[in-house]
Each structure stands twice: as C-alpha cells, then as structure tokens.
Amino acid sequence: MADMITVKKINSRYNQLSSYLHARKIKDALDLLKELISEAGFNDYFVQQEHLESTYEQMLKYTLEGVHDPERERIYMKLQVSILQLADRVRAKLLKKHSGWLTLTLQEELEKSQKLTGKGVIESLDDLAFRTELDDIINEDKTSPSTTDLKRRELIMEIFKHLWLTNEYGEAENSLVRSLITCNDFTWYEQAQQVSAILLSALRHFDEEKIHRIIDFTEIGDQQVSGRALVGLVILLYTYDSRLYLYPSVISRLELLKDSLDLDKILEQIVLQLIRTEDTLALGKKLHEDIIPEISKLKPKLEDKLKMEDLKEEDELGDKNPDWESVFRESDELYKKVDEFMKLQMEGADVYMTTFARLKQFPFFNELTNWLVPFYKENPDLKEIYEQESETFNPGVFISGLKKMPFLCNSDKYSFIFNVRFLPEEQKKMLTTAFTMEMENLSEMVSDEELMSPDFARRIVFVQYIQDLYRFFKLSPFKNEFEDVFAGKLNIYETWFFRKLVGDTGIFRNIAEYFFEKEYYEQALDLFTMLLEKDPVNTELTEKAGFCYQKMDEWDRAIAFYKKLDLAGGSATWVLKNLGYCYRKKEAFGEALEVYQKIAEETPDDIKTESLIGFCNLKLENYEVALKHYFKIEYLEPENRNIIRPVAWCYFTTGEYQKSEKYYKKVFEQDPNYYDYVNYGHLNWATGDRKRAIDHYRESIHRFDNFSFPDFQKTMVDDTPLLVEQGIEKQEISLMMDYLRYKLR
C-alpha cells in the first residue's frame, strides 16, 4: 500500500525540488517533478514536463559539443523559472486533492460562480463576474455607492476573494489592482484590505505578478496602505528569497523603490518589528507573571538586593562593558517618562497578544478578512456599538479614541470594542472616564514621540499590521491552511535580498545591537562577525563578539577575541576580568592567575581580585600563597566571612589541623553546606577521629536533599589524592564508602 499523501509530504518534496534547482541540480529537480506529476494525475503536466526535459537535454548537448551561446545563462534561468512554475501548479493540484482545506473549497466555489456568468476563462477586467458592480465605483459618470452600502461591501469581499484565491495573475487581476489604486472612490481601508488579499495569495501560491502588485501599493501616498504593502513586500521577499534572482524585473523595481524611498530605514524598522514577534509568547507570560503584579507592589529596598555574594569562582562575571554605548535606543527621552510596561509598548513589543487571544471568539472573527481589516469608525460591523449610546457611554468618543491608540493592533481594537458591549452600564461609565484620561496622557506621549521621530506614524502602521498578521497566523481558525511566516527564527538580515538592498552597515549594526541587548547572543554574533570582516580593528565589535562567545560558553573562542584587544586602553580592566573568567571556566587556572595578577597591578587591594588570585593558587595547590591572599582580605576587611572556608581548607591541605579546626568551627557557626560537612569530615579523619568523620559524612547526605550518596561518592573519589597525602590509606577510603552505605540504609 502506498504511503498516504499528506500536506507535509507534498510541501517537503516541493521544497526539496526547489533546493535542487537552486543548487543547479536540474536533472534531480526534473525527476522529482515527474514523480509529483504522476501523483497529481494530470496529463497536461506530463506534456509540459517532457518539453522542459527535452529543452534541458538540448542545452546540455550544445554545451558539451562546445557550441558558444551568449544567451545560455538567460535560457538556463528561464528554464529554472519554468520548472518552478510547473512545480507550483502541480503542488496546487496535489493540495487540492489531499488537503481538505476550506481555502480550496472556496476556490472551487469561485470558479463555479464565474462559469455561471458564461465567462469561465478570465482574460480581462470585462470577464470578471462582478464587473457591473465594479463599474459603479470606477466609472466616473456614475455616483459611487456609499461605503456602508451592502452591495459595495459584498463587492469589496468579492474582490478580496478573487485576488486571494487566484493562483496566477493575468491581465484581469493586474487591471483590477490598477483600478483599486487609481480610482479615488476606493477608500484607504478598502485598498488596505486588498493588500492583505494579495499577500495571502502570494504566500499560498507564488507568482511574480503578485510581488509587482504589492510594490504598486507601496507607492500609494496613504501611509496606512503603503505601510501594509511594505510589510507584505518584506515578508514575500523573505519567503521567496531563494528564487528572487530568477526575476530581474522584480529586482529592477526594488532598485527603483530604493531610490524613491528611504528603503534602508524602512527595512530596518520592519525587520526589527518582525524579529520582536519571536518574543511575543514569552513576553505575555512575563507580563502576567512578573511585570504587571510588580506594578501593584512596593519595590524592595535596593540595599536588600545588593548583598555581598561569595567571592569565590561562582561569581558570574556576566556584566556588559560599562563603556559600551547603548546603540539601540529609539526614544530615550520618552523612556524616562514611563515604566517598564510602557517602554515595551513604545519599542513595539506585542504586550497584548495573550490578553486579547481570549477575545477572538466573537462572530466577527469567523470571517477570514476580518482578521486583517483595518480599524475604522465607519465599519458597519460597529453598528451595534453605536446603538448602545447612553448618558454614561459615548461610543463615538470611545471608537475615535481607539482608532488613535498606537499600541493596540487593529484586531485587538475590534476585540476590545466588541467586549465593551457586554459590560454593565456602571462599568461602561467607569471605563469611559478612565479611557478619556488615558487618551489625554497618550496624546501627550504620542506628540512627544512624533516630535522625536518624524516617521512615527508609518512605524505604527508597521507595528500594528505585523501584530495583526501574527494573530492571523497564530490564532485564526484558518491558520492551518497557511505556512506560518512567524515560525522559527526570522533571520531576514541574512537573506540575499536584504543584503542586496541595504547598503548602510549601520542598519546591520542596529539589528546586531537589538539582539545583543535582548541577549540573543548567537544572532548578535552572526552580525558582529559580518561587521568585523569590514572593520576588523573595531575594538567594541571585537569586545562584543568575545562577550557573545563567552555567553555561549565557547571559552576558547571568547579568549581568542579578548586576546586580540589592546589591553592598554580604557576597557582593559573589563577585558582582563572577562579573560580571567573564561580561563577559570575552562579550568586553565595558571593563565587565569596571570590575568588576575595584571589586574592587581592596576587595582591593588581590590577584595574580589585578591579572592580570585587566592582561588587560582588554591586550585593550583599553591596553598601557602593562597593563604597569604586570603589573610590580606581578612586584614582589609576584618568582618568578611567569605574567606573562612578557603582558609580552613588551605590549612587542612598543608597539615595545620589545629588552625583548620579553628576555621571550620567558624564555618559551622554560620550556615554550613554539604561540602562543609564533607570537608570537616576529612579533617576529623586525618586527625584520627573516625567517629566524628562518619557523623559529618552522614550529615552531608541526611541534611541536604540535593546531595545524594552518589554525589558523596564522587566527592570522595575527587578528594582521594589529597586524603592519601594526609596519611589516609587508599583502601580505607573504599571501606569508608561501603560502611556508610550500610549506615544510610
């Protein structure tokens, strides 16, 4: 029995075919295409495949015979395009047979309704089933119906469905889009809806013309429309990056767009916003479990948070260099006015995703187009809200305020307003009062931001539309019929199209800094490495690349970057501390000691440095030297209790048992841990007091849930050489462990 054909298998094999093509393995691609056609069972496709096969054979023959053809590369690329186009059609046919998607059912219904008009084949605008209704708007001799007119709304929906469900655009679709753009009677929100239709259509089935039509919409003056088109364009270019080189006309238009727009800055804003979506779910959890609860609490006193920690190697040297300027700041002055929650909003973080995810059950969201419809006050779906006007509740004020609110996406605004319908009158009154006050504060903040950022309005369109799309792909009942563009890491900055269009290395630096500040060190490192190829002597880039490796626990690579730096500069101490930390983490204590001794030359009498020098000497078994540094700490800070353990241990290792006993007693006056019990047991055993040694060993296991007998065994094995040095016979150590096993039963 043949394997069941699933959507996953269809897409996997289609993607494999594409990979073959881009690796210039044309024969492999053609063979796989033939297999897919066989499963699709459509004879016309066999004819087309055989023609492509024949074309490629002839091309190979002429090439190997040494025939010179200056057009060969162009023909080769055209062949690749033809193979991809046929693969697209075969994939669509297979999905139609095996997916069971609602999308494809709607596609069939659209085809049937078109055939009923007597024009089953659409070649021009005149062939469209809704041509008459379209004429009522685009014909200058006619008065266009109102935007609230039912027939007009149905027409907008028909246009959306046609643009969305058509696989390959021809003259009819191109003319339709031209009419949408050039006819002044189409409103901005009607145009914006059609941008989404083309985007979803292109994501479902690639067609070069769809990218051109999206580019057409980017040239519209209204930012609400062009902003959405620019987001859609970036998503499409990212999705189809591997095949863009085959379409020179698209590349030419992108070059023209670059000349007419500040495309570098636009791409930076969109890419950063798309990257932010990766944090959405984690951010929602953080807000509900951390930030929001903290807002209602008194913050603990700062001094309670700054307790002195143990000065041993466990100190986590993870701080960034204080000399680094924070590059990624979009509005520092504004940040000073708001708390952490508002900062996240102003950055464009999706702080409301989890809140409004529960409010997508209204009938409004049963219609696919409503997930991506802009929020506008004339929307007939808001009729019931307007009808609830009372002395205490003014829907018009509420809806107008929501429209201006920059930090809620369109989808969430609809969720919010539909939810208001079900509130009691008293709650509506309270909500109206609070909302009015909030809008006043918001207006002031937005005014400040607009003054500091002239492109603020456009950026808000980017943010809101990306968040609308995120909800569509993550929450809508239609999500399974689309490949989630937000799945995985959105490494758009690595794509061919992005590097071709963005010439300003500052944009790459800004993206790198965003990753760095958000502690995505792997992604930040990719970009820092790329930037260092162009600027290899840049100190800060080298420091940050080293720090990224350090945070990724790649100690040798971090060390290599730190050693490239001139350690006589302003950051020398910071670099040396991190270098010493990396050496300690890889247990290269000799090298670490050299580094800390250099630091001590610059900062003598520094307690932490003295402690680290002592620790390195201890690990190198230079116990006498280690003691000198611990006693120096005791002299400089008589109240410092953190040196008691290492001093007790050093005295034990050097055979000064009485002094060791004195310090272990001090340890046990505090809060001893399981290692303290083991180490004190070692001392007891070395002095001949086996009974106390056994008691301390047993207590190390009994008192602590996180220290088991296997942990104890490992510790004893590690400490065996030292115990033997202290006069304990090796065979007795094994007997001691077995004896304890009986005692612990």
Side-chain angles (χ1 to χ4, degrees):
M1 183 178 175
D3 290 343
M4 189 175 74
I5 299 175
T6 63
V7 170
K8 185 176 181 181
K9 285 182 180 177
I10 293 167
N11 286 333
S12 174
R13 295 172 77 187
Y14 170 83
N15 292 334
Q16 181 61 63
L17 187 152
S18 299
S19 297
Y20 283 148
L21 268 181
H22 304 315
R24 297 176 79 95
K25 297 178 179 179
I26 304 300
K27 178 58 176 160
D28 288 333
L30 286 166
D31 288 347
L32 184 50
L33 179 59
K34 192 172 184 178
E35 289 178 27
L36 291 170
I37 290 171
S38 179
E39 289 168 359
F42 193 54
N43 289 334
D44 280 3
Y45 292 158
F46 278 117
V47 175
Q48 294 174 48
Q49 194 271 345
E50 286 172 2
H51 174 70
L52 293 172
E53 191 99 47
S54 175
T55 301
Y56 188 51
E57 274 192 81
Q58 289 297 315
M59 183 179 171
L60 291 175
K61 180 175 178 289
Y62 291 141
T63 301
L64 295 175
E65 287 177 355
V67 176
H68 176 68
D69 184 358
E71 292 291 299
R72 180 177 295 129
E73 189 59 28
R74 187 185 65 80
I75 295 168
Y76 187 87
M77 289 175 66
K78 189 176 178 182
L79 177 66
Q80 288 177 289
V81 170
S82 298
I83 294 170
L84 280 169
Q85 285 177 337
L86 183 54
D88 290 333
R89 292 167 192 158
V90 174
R91 174 175 172 267
K93 189 80 171 177
L94 286 168
L95 289 173
K96 196 170 186 178
K97 283 178 66 176
H98 301 287
S99 71
W101 286 346
L102 172 66
T103 306
L104 299 169
T105 303
L106 291 173
Q107 202 173 35
E108 285 184 359
E109 290 175 0
L110 192 70
E111 289 170 1
K112 286 177 184 176
S113 64
Q114 182 66 39
K115 286 176 182 176
L116 289 174
T117 66
K119 295 182 178 180
V121 178
I122 301 170
E123 294 182 347
S124 69
L125 206 59
D126 291 330
D127 297 326
L128 293 170
F130 47 82
R131 175 64 207 226
T132 303
E133 292 79 2
L134 184 63
D135 268 344
D136 289 340
I137 298 179
I138 64 176
N139 194 326
E140 294 181 2
D141 298 329
K142 295 183 179 181
T143 302
S144 298
S146 164
T147 55
T148 58
D149 183 271
L150 181 59
K151 285 188 176 181
R152 176 163 179 154
R153 292 197 76 203
E154 289 175 350
L155 169 65
I156 297 301
M157 183 64 73
E158 288 298 318
I159 294 173
F160 185 99
K161 285 182 179 177
H162 183 82
L163 292 174
W164 164 39
L165 298 170
T166 299
N167 285 351
E168 296 173 14
Y169 285 6
E171 178 52 37
E173 291 73 33
N174 293 336
S175 297
L176 179 58
V177 172
R178 278 196 297 272
S179 298
L180 286 165
I181 291 172
T182 58
C183 178
N184 293 329
D185 283 354
F186 283 109
T187 63
W188 69 268
Y189 46 84
E190 289 172 334
Q191 292 173 324
Q193 278 182 272
Q194 307 312 327
V195 169
S196 296
I198 300 170
L199 172 60
L200 294 182
S201 184
L203 288 172
R204 185 180 54 77
H205 187 106
F206 178 84
D207 179 25
E208 178 187 5
E209 289 299 321
K210 294 173 185 177
I211 297 181
H212 283 294
R213 300 298 72 80
I214 285 281
I215 294 174
D216 292 342
F217 274 109
T218 66
E219 296 167 347
I220 286 183
D222 192 295
Q223 284 191 332
Q224 289 282 354
V225 181
S226 62
R228 282 171 171 78
L230 285 163
V231 169
L233 179 62
V234 172
I235 289 173
L236 290 179
L237 295 178
Y238 171 64
T239 303
Y240 296 112
D241 182 67
S242 63
R243 68 195 285 176
L244 288 177
Y245 72 96
L246 297 170
Y247 303 94
S249 62
V250 169
I251 297 167
S252 296
R253 288 205 67 188
L254 291 173
E255 294 287 357
L256 289 173
L257 202 62
K258 184 177 179 179
D259 293 338
S260 61
L261 295 174
D262 185 8
L263 199 57
D264 277 12
K265 188 65 178 174
I266 287 169
L267 287 171
E268 177 190 3
Q269 290 173 343
I270 294 173
V271 167
L272 281 169
Q273 191 57 39
L274 286 168
I275 290 169
R276 284 189 183 100
T277 63
E278 295 179 30
D279 290 335
T280 300
L281 297 180
L283 177 58
K285 184 178 180 182
K286 182 183 178 186
L287 286 169
H288 287 281
E289 295 180 2
D290 181 16
I291 296 176
I292 292 174
E294 284 299 310
I295 290 172
S296 59
K297 293 180 185 177
L298 289 172
K299 301 289 187 296
K301 292 182 179 178
L302 184 62
E303 54 268 26
D304 292 339
K305 291 184 176 182
L306 298 180
K307 292 176 181 176
M308 177 68 87
E309 298 293 340
D310 193 333
L311 296 177
K312 296 194 306 168
E313 85 279 6
E314 284 85 358
D315 67 303
E316 188 63 33
L317 208 164
D319 293 336
K320 296 174 182 176
N321 189 338
D323 294 335
W324 293 335
E325 182 183 355
S326 184
V327 176
F328 194 83
R329 284 287 184 270
E330 291 186 76
S331 44
D332 280 343
E333 293 303 315
L334 183 59
Y335 282 4
K336 293 175 185 176
K337 303 177 182 179
V338 293
D339 59 15
E340 185 176 1
F341 185 75
M342 194 58 74
K343 288 178 188 176
L344 289 166
Q345 285 183 311
M346 295 306 293
E347 278 186 343
D350 196 347
V351 296
Y352 294 116
M353 168 69 179
T354 52
T355 301
F356 284 97
R358 298 183 291 252
L359 297 176
K360 302 297 180 188
Q361 307 304 317
F362 298 108
F364 176 81
F365 292 106
N366 291 337
E367 173 58 56
L368 180 142
T369 55
N370 285 339
W371 285 85
L372 299 172
V373 67
F375 187 84
Y376 61 101
K377 59 186 180 181
E378 301 89 354
N379 192 333
D381 286 308
L382 300 177
K383 181 182 177 183
E384 287 185 41
I385 307 295
Y386 285 112
E387 289 172 351
Q388 292 193 353
E389 185 169 2
S390 65
E391 291 182 5
T392 57
F393 178 62
N394 187 331
V397 171
F398 222 94
I399 290 169
S400 294
L402 266 180
K403 186 178 184 305
K404 295 175 185 175
M405 187 172 281
F407 308 126
L408 274 185
C409 67
N410 300 277
S411 178
D412 289 353
K413 288 176 184 179
Y414 282 113
S415 295
F416 186 88
I417 200 69
F418 289 139
N419 198 50
V420 168
R421 285 182 300 177
F422 302 102
L423 296 178
E425 283 300 316
E426 189 60 31
Q427 278 187 274
K428 284 182 184 175
K429 180 180 178 181
M430 292 170 60
L431 189 61
T432 301
T433 302
F435 188 77
T436 303
M437 292 174 62
E438 183 66 23
M439 283 309 301
E440 289 175 1
N441 295 333
L442 195 60
S443 295
E444 182 181 338
M445 281 199 308
V446 169
S447 296
D448 289 346
E449 178 66 12
E450 285 175 332
L451 286 172
M452 288 183 287
S453 176
D455 60 352
F456 178 72
R458 184 180 65 192
R459 187 163 63 88
I460 290 301
V461 176
F462 296 159
V463 171
Q464 290 182 349
Y465 189 50
I466 288 170
Q467 291 179 2
D468 286 336
L469 287 166
Y470 188 86
R471 281 148 183 71
F472 175 80
F473 285 105
K474 298 294 185 183
L475 301 175
S476 83
F478 315 97
K479 63 184 179 182
N480 293 329
E481 304 200 10
F482 296 88
E483 285 198 46
D484 184 359
V485 298
F486 298 100
K489 295 188 182 300
L490 293 165
N491 54 338
I492 303 173
Y493 52 89
E494 292 181 346
T495 57
W496 176 82
F497 91 84
F498 191 80
R499 297 196 175 191
K500 182 173 181 63
L501 292 178
V502 176
D504 182 1
T505 55
I507 304 295
F508 290 94
R509 178 69 184 265
N510 286 347
I511 296 172
E513 295 295 341
Y514 173 82
F515 281 131
F516 191 73
E517 290 196 12
K518 296 298 179 184
E519 300 182 357
Y520 295 138
Y521 295 113
E522 191 174 339
Q523 292 97 316
L525 180 62
D526 287 342
L527 287 161
F528 287 142
T529 304
M530 184 200 83
L531 292 165
L532 278 167
E533 288 174 4
K534 298 181 179 181
D535 187 8
V537 295
N538 188 300
T539 299
E540 187 171 310
L541 286 174
T542 305
E543 287 177 355
K544 288 183 173 179
F547 190 79
C548 288
Y549 277 124
Q550 179 178 320
K551 283 298 191 177
M552 294 160 63
D553 295 347
E554 295 195 33
W555 314 118
D556 287 325
R557 289 187 172 189
I559 288 167
F561 271 86
Y562 290 143
K563 289 178 77 172
K564 290 179 183 178
L565 295 159
D566 177 7
L567 298 180
S571 297
T573 301
W574 180 89
V575 174
L576 285 170
K577 285 180 178 179
N578 281 273
L579 189 57
Y581 176 78
C582 292
Y583 277 130
R584 282 193 292 121
K585 294 302 285 187
K586 65 172 290 194
E587 300 189 355
F589 297 108
E591 291 89 339
L593 179 59
E594 290 179 17
V595 171
Y596 291 126
Q597 286 170 337
K598 286 182 183 177
I599 296 173
E601 292 172 8
E602 297 296 323
T603 54
D605 300 338
D606 177 75
I607 298 297
K608 182 161 280 191
T609 305
E610 290 297 326
S611 171
L612 291 167
I613 291 173
F615 175 74
C616 289
N617 276 294
L618 188 152
K619 295 296 286 187
L620 292 167
E621 301 182 6
N622 301 327
Y623 299 117
E624 297 286 353
V625 179
L627 277 170
K628 289 179 183 177
H629 287 279
Y630 288 131
F631 288 142
K632 183 176 180 180
I633 294 170
E634 193 173 40
Y635 171 76
L636 293 170
E637 279 189 359
E639 299 303 315
N640 191 322
R641 311 293 290 174
N642 293 317
I643 57 131
I644 295 172
R645 281 187 181 89
V647 169
W649 180 256
C650 286
Y651 274 136
F652 168 63
T653 58
T654 55
E656 298 192 57
Y657 298 146
Q658 282 188 325
K659 292 178 180 178
S660 179
E661 175 88 24
K662 172 187 170 185
Y663 275 88
Y664 271 121
K665 283 181 178 177
K666 290 182 181 181
V667 170
F668 275 72
E669 287 170 5
Q670 299 181 70
D671 185 19
N673 61 37
Y674 44 80
Y675 284 129
D676 294 328
Y677 278 93
V678 174
N679 294 340
Y680 205 178
H682 291 346
L683 176 63
N684 300 145
W685 197 358
T687 56
D689 194 343
R690 285 179 171 81
K691 183 179 181 305
R692 285 188 73 199
I694 290 167
D695 289 341
H696 279 125
Y697 289 152
R698 288 177 65 189
E699 287 298 299
S700 72
I701 300 165
H702 277 154
R703 283 179 175 266
F704 302 95
D705 293 334
N706 58 339
F707 193 72
S708 63
F709 187 74
D711 296 322
F712 171 78
Q713 280 182 305
K714 184 179 185 306
T715 304
M716 292 295 283
V717 170
D718 291 342
D719 291 347
T720 292
L722 181 60
L723 292 173
V724 171
E725 280 183 24
Q726 303 308 315
I728 298 168
E729 292 186 14
K730 189 173 183 179
Q731 294 85 341
E732 284 196 31
I733 297 170
S734 298
L735 294 173
M736 174 67 81
M737 287 192 280
D738 282 346
Y739 179 76
L740 285 166
R741 288 179 72 179
Y742 281 108
K743 288 293 183 182
L744 291 167
R745 285 188 302 182

